[in-house]
Amino acid sequence: MIEVENLTYVYPGASAPAVSDVSFTVERGRIFGLLGPSGAGKSTTQRVLTRQNRRFRGSVSVLSRRVESWDHTFYEHIGVGFELPNHYLRLTGRENLEFFASLYAGPTRAAGELLEAVGLGDAADERVSEYSKGMKMRLNFVRAILHDPEVLFLDEPTARYGQRRVRVEYVSDAGAVKTADFALDRLAQNREFLELLDARPIRSIHSREASLNRVFADVTGVRLVEGAAG
Amino acid sequence: MRTFARLLRLELRLQSRSFLYPATVVSTAIICGFILMLPARPLPVRLTAFFVFMDPATIGLSFVGAMVLMEKSQGTLAALAVASVTPAAYVAGKMASLTFVTIASSLVVVYVATDGVIDVASQLAAVTLCSAVAVLIGLVCVAHARSMNQLVVTLLFVTTVLDVALLAHFSVLPGWLVPAVALIPSYAMLVSLAAAVDAGSVSAAARIAAALNLVLWILIGWRWTIREFERAIVTERR
């Protein structure tokens, strides 16, 4: 589904690459998280995968086709959720969704139904300028899945989760099972957590309530079919 | 074409909610009020062309600049880019929507200035060309602007250059300088607008040259704008 080989990206005018020699593969049906400290190139990698940054070196394929060979129909197949809310503030939530839905050639989900699904039903006809940041992020998410994309890219999807924490169980050098708590919205920036991922066999990562699948479902509003998640 | 129609509808809705239409009504009313206070009736052709010129210049440069800057600050351009919207469709939507406004406003100004003697077809053709050029210049100006201050400084510089054509239009410049000034698109705009008010006021050759000049600027401006938007807004940004 996604194949990245030796991806290197240098922003115009920059002396050092933002992404250097990155390779990974994601199979269909998997949830793949890209973690790293601030400035590691996570967003840049996503921008390359979504054809927003195109002057890269290496090989990048999405949906079994090299990204440079896709035309604008690429976006009929993928959905992109941005790190920060980006809506037409003078339009209502429903008008925003209906406008973006009208840009797709294929069928799209009903705006009202999506807004209801993420708890924005009552605010559907309010201008987005009146929305809280959390409401805008939920609108961001449903806009990304309007057209039932085959691949969904989400940038910092846990960012709106504030101080909620996840508990990581890992095996220590002595072989004992230990736990450590991390703030959910800082996982990708947390060096200690990343070193843990690098160095130790991770037994499990839990949110306080349930599994990562549950966290994903909470964040995105999408309930995963059993076995679909990685 | 379908995407263009959707974007045009969006633009009209956004312009409506951004109070562009009331603002245009007010600015047009002020210009008309000023014209009505002038003693000469009907207004001389060059002066009428000047007043109509103020509309494309104002709406095309300033309004498009402000509106795009607002969209940049809201991040909606990136959202459009990942929803199959090409820079060409986006720019075409902006040009078409603002041209409608400019045409409506200019027809009113010409009607008042000429006491109702108006060649609608010529006026439409001239204003459409002028508005397209002005909107494209505004889009190029705003493509790299990161703040309102930066946009204002850029627009001040650009409008100063464009306004040099007014010196030639009102015969203030020495004759030997006019050919150089004629390269500036605003000179061709003024000639076209004057010809639309009174075909006899401009020679056929000057009229054709002005139209060709504007078409050339539209072609250059179109390519330039698309390139700037692809580079500065849609792609390759951090």
Side-chain angles (χ1 to χ4, degrees), chain A residues 14-219:
Chain A
S15 53
V19 177
S20 181
D21 205 24
V22 168
S23 300
F24 60 88
T25 303
V26 186
E27 291 168 13
R28 186 177 287 274
R30 310 292 285 188
I31 299 171
F32 182 84
L34 206 51
L35 302 177
S38 183
K42 307 179 295 292
S43 295
T44 302
T45 302
Q46 175 160 313
R47 290 178 61 79
V48 169
L49 288 169
T50 55
R51 289 188 83 237
Q52 295 177 82
N53 289 4
R54 300 180 188 174
R55 297 175 192 170
F56 60 88
R57 292 200 303 273
S59 167
V60 178
S61 299
V62 176
L63 292 167
S64 307
R65 194 169 148 186
R66 291 175 73 109
V67 287
E68 58 269 38
S69 73
W70 279 102
D71 58 12
H72 66 280
T73 59
F74 181 56
Y75 300 109
E76 298 285 339
H77 301 279
I78 70 160
V80 182
F82 291 86
E83 179 184 355
L84 297 170
N86 51 356
H87 307 288
Y88 289 103
L89 300 181
R90 291 182 194 273
L91 301 186
T92 66
R94 188 193 305 280
E95 286 170 339
N96 265 281
L97 288 189
E98 286 175 348
F99 165 66
F100 279 95
S102 75
L103 299 174
Y104 294 106
T108 53
R109 297 202 212 178
E113 183 186 302
L114 286 171
L115 290 165
E116 283 289 345
V118 293
L120 292 175
D122 291 341
D125 297 311
E126 283 176 26
R127 288 196 184 185
V128 176
S129 55
E130 304 299 317
Y131 282 19
S132 67
K133 190 181 175 196
M135 292 164 82
K136 287 175 187 168
M137 287 309 291
R138 277 181 274 160
L139 186 60
N140 250 20
F141 174 70
V142 289
R143 189 182 63 200
I145 61 167
L146 257 178
H147 53 304
D148 278 330
E150 292 172 63
V151 188
L152 182 59
F153 294 91
L154 300 174
D155 197 352
E156 304 275 5
T158 57
R160 73 182 177 85
Y161 264 62
Q163 294 305 308
R164 285 179 60 176
R165 304 182 78 78
V166 292
R167 174 157 293 175
V168 178
E169 285 187 1
Y170 63 97
V171 182
S172 72
D173 289 339
V177 175
K178 293 200 161 190
T179 60
D181 284 348
F182 299 94
L184 181 56
D185 64 328
R186 302 264 169 82
L187 276 185
Q189 322 285 351
N190 190 308
R191 193 165 291 281
E192 193 187 341
F193 174 73
L194 298 171
E195 282 168 4
L196 200 61
L197 278 187
D198 262 352
R200 312 246 181 226
I202 300 291
R203 284 171 57 101
S204 61
I205 304 177
H206 295 282
S207 73
R208 199 162 46 197
E209 299 86 359
S211 68
L212 264 190
N213 277 6
R214 170 74 179 278
V215 173
F216 178 82
D218 283 352
V219 170

Side-chain angles (χ1 to χ4, degrees), chain B residues 7 12 23 30 63 78 133 150 152 157 163 175 201 223 228 238:
Chain B
L7 284 166
L12 295 174
I30 290 171
F63 285 1
V133 172
Q150 201 178 344
V152 168
F157 173 75
D163 287 348
S201 67
R223 292 293 299 270
E228 291 302 309
R238 279 179 190 273

